[in-house]
Amino acid sequence: MQIAEQSSAAEPVIDVQSIPPHQRHPLILQATQDLAPGRGFVLVNNHDPRPLYLQVQALFGDAVSWTYLERGPERWRVRIGRPESGTAPATSLRVLIGRGGQASAVAAETPLGVADGGLVCEITDCPPGTTAEQVLDLMQGVIPPAGQLHLSYERLVARRSGSCCGGMCG
């Protein structure tokens, strides 16, 4: 986390003050995920977005920068960017969830759906550098809702961070 005076005028600005609260984090995380190396955007809010910072760090680590441009008391501006030497885009991992809830990685070409011994689903939007072991650790005990074969990494992190299901139930 850094403090700076200004950002590039060519970068988009996301002013979340007019966006319904339940839509803010998903919108910002998707915008962050979509950043190309060397690009960024400015987030504007009426309070310190520290909880979002913690979520961005958990999901993206050093692959994303967070720089305060303005720190209150009425307005906070933060530049979120992907460094020029950014890593590869997010990846996916196919996982077999056994009948007992145990999770194991399977080949990328394994068909999704019911399989011998369980259900094959795809964990999507894994941040760059995420290992299969990290995904499998988050998957332990997860049973996806009926018919849901794609689970976002973000939802698994939210579940581990205290949300009952990381939004999987609704």
Side-chain angles (χ1 to χ4, degrees):
M1 195 172 355
Q2 302 171 341
I3 300 176
E5 292 302 314
Q6 59 185 0
S7 70
S8 168
E11 293 183 330
V13 174
I14 300 176
D15 187 340
V16 297
Q17 297 172 96
S18 62
I19 298 171
H22 68 278
Q23 294 177 357
R24 293 176 184 178
H25 282 215
L27 172 84
I28 295 162
L29 293 172
Q30 185 63 54
T32 303
Q33 180 67 42
D34 293 343
L35 285 173
R39 303 293 301 159
F41 63 90
V42 175
L43 168 70
V44 178
N45 203 354
N46 61 358
H47 65 274
D48 187 355
R50 178 101 176 126
L52 176 65
Y53 167 74
L54 297 172
Q55 194 172 13
V56 167
Q57 284 300 296
L59 291 170
F60 301 101
D62 292 337
V64 172
S65 64
W66 179 280
T67 307
Y68 279 99
L69 304 173
E70 184 177 347
R71 294 186 104 163
E74 295 177 19
R75 182 171 80 158
W76 274 258
R77 291 176 51 241
V78 176
R79 181 187 185 273
I80 300 172
R82 188 171 301 272
E84 191 66 50
S85 61
T87 57
T91 59
S92 297
L93 179 71
R94 294 218 175 174
V95 174
L96 171 65
I97 303 171
R99 290 193 174 101
Q102 70 281 12
S104 58
V106 295
E109 58 274 357
T110 304
L112 296 174
V114 177
D116 282 341
L119 175 72
V120 175
C121 64
E122 186 166 30
I123 310 308
T124 61
D125 300 321
C126 299
T130 302
T131 66
E133 291 77 24
Q134 290 169 316
V135 173
L136 293 175
D137 181 53
L138 289 171
M139 285 297 300
Q140 295 306 318
V142 170
I143 299 173
Q148 188 167 357
L149 300 177
H150 295 87
L151 302 173
S152 76
Y153 183 85
E154 171 191 337
R155 288 177 126 180
L156 295 174
V157 170
R159 177 182 170 273
R160 176 62 56 90
S161 298
S163 172
C164 66
C165 63
M168 288 184 224
C169 61

